[in-house]
Amino acid sequence: NSTYCRRAIDWNLGFTISDADLQSTSSNDERWFGEQAFLAFDWCYSYMTAAERLTLITRWNGYNETLRLKQWGGPSMFANNYHWGYLRNELAWAITSHGENASANTFFQDALVTRWQNNFVPYGTTGAGVGGDRGAS
């Protein structure tokens, strides 16, 4: 529906994360609203102009890249809620924007290899994190 998509697109274009939030230790706004922004981008893709798509790709690449490089919620913090929010958003954004986003593969690699395969799987599936407290000694 073009009317509903225009509302979603306008919300997405109007939503920004402040520099102060991005420069702090972590970002709740990116974790909380990234998923909605990516869904709106995907579901309403055909209703956006090329300029609107470019604006959103540039914006969300910047947000995801900034947070990907933060220590808090980073790959080694696999038991942290920021870690999982960032992993979800990196993966969702990579899937959503794949095909026209040169940074999509960076986000795929960080989410699926760095965060999941290299850090969580050894800890959460075979290490101390198995089954929550059951793996603790």
Side-chain angles (χ1 to χ4, degrees):
N1 180 301
S2 63
T3 301
Y4 295 144
C5 274
R6 180 45 47 196
R7 286 183 198 160
I9 293 164
D10 289 346
W11 171 83
N12 207 352
L13 290 167
F15 177 81
T16 58
I17 298 173
S18 72
D19 287 338
D21 188 55
L22 285 174
Q23 300 312 315
S24 69
T25 303
S26 57
S27 174
N28 282 322
D29 283 349
E30 198 272 347
R31 283 188 314 134
W32 294 340
F33 299 106
E35 187 173 26
Q36 292 94 311
F38 309 150
L39 289 173
F41 183 92
D42 186 45
W43 293 346
C44 299
Y45 182 88
S46 62
Y47 293 97
M48 283 186 278
T49 67
E52 289 170 332
R53 287 186 209 118
L54 181 60
T55 295
L56 292 171
I57 289 170
T58 301
R59 179 180 298 160
W60 284 100
N61 279 354
Y63 294 161
N64 280 304
E65 182 64 13
T66 297
L67 297 170
R68 183 179 78 80
L69 300 173
K70 290 214 178 270
Q71 183 178 359
W72 188 263
S76 65
M77 294 185 78
F78 35 78
N80 179 281
N81 61 332
Y82 287 90
H83 167 86
W84 288 102
Y86 297 161
L87 183 151
R88 178 201 62 218
N89 283 357
E90 284 182 320
L91 182 58
W93 182 237
I95 291 168
T96 299
S97 64
H98 183 72
E100 68 180 293
N101 181 0
S103 297
N105 193 52
T106 297
F107 299 128
F108 273 126
Q109 290 298 313
D110 193 65
L112 296 177
V113 177
T114 303
R115 289 177 181 268
W116 177 260
Q117 177 183 312
N118 295 349
N119 286 285
F120 173 72
V121 169
Y123 173 82
T125 63
T126 60
V130 171
D133 290 338
R134 290 180 289 162
S137 47

